[in-house]
Amino acid sequence: THTHTQPSLAGTMTAQAAHSKLIAAVCAGPKALLVNKLFKDDAITSHPGIADKMKEFYSKYDEHKAVVVNKTKTLVTAQGPGPTLDFALTIVACLKGDDAAHKVAKPMRIPHGPFGSQL
């Protein structure tokens, strides 16, 4: 059984989306959004292995950005395990603001990316 087809996950995601609560998905996780037809008009990305299927439904699919946030900051998606640090910090930024994300990132000594600093 695939997680993206589980009724409990579909119900949770639908409720989160209906209440403008944050949903985050990485790698092939965005496929669950596709299966449940959520965030159709939003910017989104996913693992390149499912990009073609995602592009059929999502007109704002972005294959060039490793981490994508929609305009309302209720959806954060990432392409795979490589950008998960930026993915996590982007979630912090959506929930608590950019200053909070930079505060979390600073002691990590991240050399580049949206939350990187000069070392």
Side-chain angles (χ1 to χ4, degrees):
T1 279
H2 296 284
T3 303
H4 64 267
T5 60
Q6 293 300 305
S8 60
L9 178 61
T12 299
M13 288 188 316
T14 301
Q16 289 284 98
H19 291 97
S20 298
K21 300 290 185 181
L22 180 67
I23 294 177
V26 65
C27 203
K31 187 173 182 180
L33 302 169
L34 172 65
V35 168
N36 293 286
K37 302 197 180 328
L38 297 172
F39 296 99
K40 180 177 181 12
D41 297 319
D42 290 272
I44 192 169
T45 195
S46 68
H47 187 275
I50 63 168
D52 290 342
K53 282 283 183 200
M54 298 294 287
K55 289 177 190 177
E56 290 174 12
F57 184 75
Y58 294 102
S59 62
K60 295 180 183 175
Y61 184 86
D62 191 333
E63 63 189 306
H64 302 290
K65 289 184 184 175
V67 178
V68 173
V69 182
N70 69 348
K71 287 183 182 181
T72 59
K73 296 185 179 180
T74 55
L75 178 64
V76 180
T77 53
Q79 292 182 346
T84 53
L85 184 54
D86 285 341
F87 175 71
L89 291 168
T90 300
I91 293 169
V92 172
C94 288
L95 294 173
K96 298 291 184 180
D98 287 344
D99 288 344
H102 284 284
K103 184 177 180 181
V104 170
K106 187 175 181 181
M108 293 183 190
R109 311 286 291 161
I110 301 167
H112 54 77
F115 301 100
S117 61
Q118 299 294 351
L119 297 179

